[in-house]
Amino acid sequence: HGESQGIDISSEFSLYIKCRDRFGHFMPDYLLFDVCVNEGPDKTPARLITSYPKSGGYVSYDSETFHLKILTNELATCRWSSDDSILYDDMVNDFVCNDTWGNPSSTIGYTCDVDLPINQSEGAVENYYYVRCADQPWLGDSDERNKNVEPFEFVFYRPDGKISIDS
């Protein structure tokens, strides 16, 4: 995350990894990762790894809300709006991001959850949501936090009616 969090690694080192498959067979050779760590300020905002459900899906016709889970590559706080022009600091709708640094709740990233409202207008409805995140939550409201300039866009569709069987 650009910050050591008390761990002082600022050099080059090699990491050797030996893998074993599910049948217990080891790889004949080690995998070698040469790593160079240069500690410095974090200048990159959090990236979205994935979401559940994926953008572009449908919600139930009767739903008033639905649950969205996003995973980010680093610890962050995230907010959403239905207006893509609202910046992170001006967004009023927060995700619940309970992970802690070094302890993501998923093996692939840090998790944030929210229940989003569904537009109940008549007919088929597109529901757009725009998400922005700010990394390094331990810095509080500091201007040093990196915030997404471009929002992550999500769209979910509500069908124009209930499914009905005619015959």
Side-chain angles (χ1 to χ4, degrees):
H1 304 301
E3 298 290 332
S4 69
Q5 300 295 307
I7 302 168
D8 187 19
I9 302 173
S10 58
S11 64
E12 295 183 18
F13 62 94
S14 298
L15 182 65
Y16 295 87
I17 298 175
K18 186 124 181 153
C19 297
R20 180 177 64 192
D21 67 17
R22 64 185 178 140
F23 302 108
H25 304 116
F26 284 94
M27 291 176 38
D29 296 318
Y30 287 94
L31 293 174
L32 171 63
F33 292 93
D34 287 321
V35 180
C36 176
V37 178
N38 293 317
E39 186 172 337
D42 183 354
K43 297 179 181 177
T44 309
R47 287 183 296 109
L48 181 73
I49 296 173
T50 190
S51 69
Y52 305 103
K54 298 276 189 207
S55 181
Y58 282 83
V59 297
S60 170
Y61 177 78
D62 291 328
S63 293
E64 294 180 9
T65 64
F66 80 99
H67 189 78
L68 177 65
K69 177 185 287 191
I70 62 171
L71 280 86
T72 58
N73 68 320
E74 64 179 306
L75 189 61
T77 55
C78 299
R79 297 176 179 167
W80 69 272
S81 174
S82 55
D83 181 346
D84 68 341
S85 66
I86 297 178
L87 299 177
Y88 175 86
D89 289 330
D90 298 324
M91 290 179 162
V92 296
N93 304 300
D94 291 316
F95 276 75
V96 175
C97 305
N98 286 329
D99 289 354
T100 58
W101 190 86
N103 288 317
S105 57
S106 167
T107 57
I108 62 171
Y110 293 88
T111 303
C112 294
D113 297 275
V114 71
D115 288 321
L116 296 169
I118 299 296
N119 186 335
Q120 296 294 314
S121 301
E122 288 299 317
V125 176
E126 295 175 340
N127 292 271
Y128 284 92
Y129 308 94
Y130 301 94
V131 175
R132 286 187 167 90
C133 300
D135 70 359
Q136 306 176 82
W138 56 87
L139 295 177
D141 292 330
S142 169
D143 288 336
E144 293 178 38
R145 294 182 72 186
N146 300 299
K147 300 163 188 161
N148 299 114
V149 176
E150 292 296 321
F152 304 112
E153 180 183 87
F154 293 90
V155 61
F156 295 97
Y157 302 96
R158 180 175 165 265
D160 58 358
K162 292 183 178 185
I163 294 174
S164 63
I165 300 174
D166 294 334
S167 61

